[in-house]
Amino acid sequence: MAESGQVPWVPGVLTAGQVAETAAAIASMQEPSGAVPWTTGEHVDVWNHVEAAMAMLVGGEVEAAERAYAWVPTMQRPDGSWPMKIVDGAVEDDRAEANMSAYFAVGLWHHWLVRRDLRFVHDHWPSVRAGLDWVVSQQLPFGGITWTPTEQGALLAGSSSIYQSLRAGVALAELLADPQPEWELAGGRLGHALREHRDLFLDKSTYSMDWYYPVLGGAVRGAAGHERLAARWDDFVRPGLGILCVDTNPWVTGAETCELAMALDALGDHRRARTLLGDMQHLRGECGRYWTGWVYAGENPDVYWPVEHTTYTAAAVLLAVDALGETYGHGTPGSGIMRGTSLAPHFGELALECGCPSGVGSADGLPGVPGRPA
């Protein structure tokens, strides 16, 4: 049941009532343990689970969100990592994925922004700290974070998300007076890699996530962010429908569209962000649920695919509404989580291991980075 109080809304896109309906739809798919699967009967991964908890929180489903957060430490392993896939409480894929293991920090910081519950932060801080300690231990010499300990190389999108998680972790550490200088050093090396060494990450350039995530995660902003999004805009954006998941298939997906909208919002391009958020509403189904994507051409056009409503798509919608609500309608106190305005400052580029001198490079629009204009 949603708690009373105003939830985010964007006029002409979603009303507060529709936002609350979608939050309730996510909660209706939550398992008794508190876990939130991709869709009913599917697997759970910690990243998408935390995203769903954030969305339920801004949509007024506070109890469901906090049950979701209570579940997260129960699946954490002694080294601080989480397994990649969990089905009905059992581990299906035991690989440890760094991006997933970092994201609890973003969720906990978001909960603090919305609820200001210091006891809740204290209760979950040990789990966040152990997770980020493990994540920074996976950093490669050039600054990227390895995908998993058993796969070679770093993912650009995943490492970009980790950059946001480290900033959230440092913000939590400052709140609790528990400094984590290792995270700050790792964050500086990671940010440098995301700005200067993108060629050293695994090539996943057919995926739209690799295109916009360096902006969404916060490492690339300002003029460099605008230039990056402009470079492949026509490759991925389908006006009136949303954006492609991969540039080879005529398939627009809701979660990616909303994430691009949040990246645009972070750059101050609110108009195009709002347009994209409105464009993807053709994926809204009954009871506020969202289809994953729409195939608009090819051998079998004009079909929803997969034929399922996904919690992660609904979650991305609500977080995008919250972000844009601050400009157009109403946002919660957590609305800046993707813009990064509420996170710890960007990290200085110190102790680089890639061969570049510390404090040099290009990070247009990032204040407070040594060697760069504020």
Side-chain angles (χ1 to χ4, degrees):
M1 177 95 44
E3 286 195 4
S4 60
Q6 197 173 37
V7 300
W9 49 274
V10 172
V13 179
L14 287 182
T15 66
Q18 289 172 317
V19 167
E21 182 183 45
T22 294
I26 298 172
S28 73
M29 300 170 78
Q30 187 174 32
E31 297 172 355
S33 65
V36 182
W38 279 25
T39 192
T40 302
E42 255 285 1
H43 75 271
V44 183
D45 74 63
V46 172
W47 197 101
N48 283 292
H49 169 90
V50 168
E51 186 97 330
M54 293 164 64
M56 289 191 293
L57 188 64
V58 302
E61 296 287 342
V62 177
E63 181 182 354
E66 293 187 347
R67 286 201 303 115
Y69 283 127
W71 174 85
V72 176
T74 69
M75 299 304 300
Q76 191 172 26
R77 296 185 285 212
D79 66 358
S81 70
W82 280 268
M84 190 175 290
K85 290 184 179 181
I86 301 156
V87 178
D88 197 23
V91 175
E92 182 180 84
D93 186 337
D94 67 357
R95 289 177 298 168
E97 210 266 15
N99 175 39
M100 294 179 187
S101 296
Y103 204 56
F104 194 21
V106 175
L108 187 58
W109 180 246
H110 180 260
H111 186 280
W112 163 251
L113 294 174
V114 175
R115 300 291 291 174
R116 296 289 168 170
D117 184 343
L118 193 59
R119 180 184 294 275
F120 191 89
V121 176
H122 273 291
D123 287 347
H124 293 291
W125 172 239
S127 183
V128 166
R129 186 174 55 201
L132 285 180
D133 280 344
W134 179 80
V135 168
V136 299
S137 77
Q138 304 302 307
Q139 190 161 40
L140 300 170
F142 82 94
I145 308 291
T146 191
W147 175 30
T148 80
T150 54
E151 273 83 19
Q152 297 294 316
L155 295 172
L156 182 60
S159 289
S160 297
S161 178
I162 291 169
Y163 184 81
Q164 181 196 27
S165 295
L166 287 170
R167 289 181 66 200
V170 170
L172 288 164
E174 292 174 350
L175 175 68
L176 299 178
D178 187 7
Q180 302 294 325
E182 295 267 339
W183 300 355
E184 297 185 47
L185 288 171
R189 292 194 290 268
L190 176 58
H192 176 78
L194 293 168
R195 290 185 285 272
E196 308 296 340
H197 299 300
R198 288 194 289 270
D199 59 312
L200 298 180
F201 289 87
L202 296 172
D203 182 10
K204 301 290 183 180
S205 56
T206 60
Y207 291 84
S208 59
M209 290 179 68
D210 260 34
W211 166 53
Y212 64 74
Y213 243 97
V215 178
L216 181 62
V220 178
R221 292 282 168 90
H226 286 285
E227 290 169 7
R228 180 167 183 82
L229 295 190
R232 299 205 64 192
W233 185 268
D234 292 338
D235 294 340
F236 288 111
V237 178
R238 296 295 177 266
L241 294 176
I243 77 166
L244 302 180
C245 177
V246 292
D247 63 10
T248 55
N249 299 333
W251 178 45
V252 293
T253 47
E256 282 82 355
T257 303
C258 290
E259 288 181 335
L260 176 58
M262 289 187 279
L264 289 164
D265 175 70
L267 293 175
D269 193 346
H270 309 301
R271 180 186 59 81
R272 287 202 298 179
R274 185 182 183 278
T275 296
L276 281 171
L277 182 59
D279 285 350
M280 63 78 58
Q281 294 305 319
H282 66 95
L283 295 173
R284 187 176 180 87
E286 61 181 13
C287 301
R289 298 186 178 195
Y290 279 84
W291 300 99
T292 302
W294 173 259
V295 179
Y296 62 86
E299 294 182 5
N300 297 294
D302 300 330
V303 295
Y304 294 116
W305 188 84
V307 186
E308 62 185 21
H309 299 104
T310 40
T311 56
Y312 64 82
T313 303
V317 172
L318 297 197
L319 293 178
V321 169
D322 196 24
L324 286 165
E326 189 166 309
T327 299
Y328 290 108
H330 172 72
T332 74
S335 65
I337 193 72
M338 298 301 176
R339 285 191 301 277
T341 52
S342 60
L343 300 175
H346 291 283
F347 306 111
E349 295 182 359
L350 304 175
L352 300 180
E353 299 176 31
C354 57
C356 298
S358 294
V360 300
S362 176
D364 187 14
L366 297 185
V369 180
R372 306 185 189 284

